[in-house]
Amino acid sequence: MHIVLAAKPDADQPWITDSVARLARQTAATVVVIAVDTVELERFSAAPRSVFVQGAREAVDTAVARLAEAGVVAEGVVLSGRPLQRIIDFADERQTDVIVVGASTRPAVAERLLGSVPLQLIEKASRPVLVVTRP
């Protein structure tokens, strides 16, 4: 089994990593933690790409370290671009069995106006999506 954990940059969500660790141990799965820097074109960005890449790298490193503490070896990858499409493309390239993502942390109004990556993943991904909510 192959699991992709889509970590949200700048969000500490250890319950998602703990859920992936349990699932990986139960299924002897391989795990890849990804985070997307959300910068499509740097010239239109509010800050240099490096700032966003650093946030994504920190999210990946934190999740990989937490998985290691739980006895699960994981690879970490930082991607650039739109999160939804990059997650779907990466999962397809790696022939992932399941994509694990945290529930949206946006307020309901913002979610309605701006959308929700977890909900869009459920709608558009060709692979199963497991959305983990905050306990």
Side-chain angles (χ1 to χ4, degrees), residues 19-124:
S19 296
V20 169
R22 284 191 298 274
L23 181 60
R25 284 194 308 264
Q26 291 171 0
T27 60
T30 60
V31 178
V32 179
V33 179
I34 65 170
V36 184
D37 69 11
T38 71
V39 177
E40 202 171 340
L41 294 171
E42 189 171 14
R43 68 177 173 221
F44 297 123
S45 175
R49 180 182 299 273
S50 61
V51 172
F52 295 98
V53 169
Q54 179 182 350
R57 171 57 50 204
E58 289 172 3
V60 166
D61 291 345
T62 299
V64 168
R66 191 167 180 95
L67 287 166
E69 288 173 9
V72 175
V73 177
E75 173 188 355
V77 177
V78 173
L79 305 170
S80 293
R82 291 183 176 186
L84 176 66
Q85 196 57 51
R86 294 299 287 144
I87 294 166
I88 290 171
D89 291 346
F90 186 86
D92 288 343
E93 289 168 12
R94 294 287 182 109
Q95 297 181 339
T96 299
D97 294 303
V98 64
I99 301 168
V100 180
V101 66
S104 180
T105 56
R106 289 182 175 161
V109 172
E111 192 171 303
R112 286 296 246 176
L113 293 173
L114 302 172
S116 163
V117 171
L119 290 176
Q120 291 175 332
L121 277 171
I122 291 169
E123 292 172 355
K124 297 182 179 181

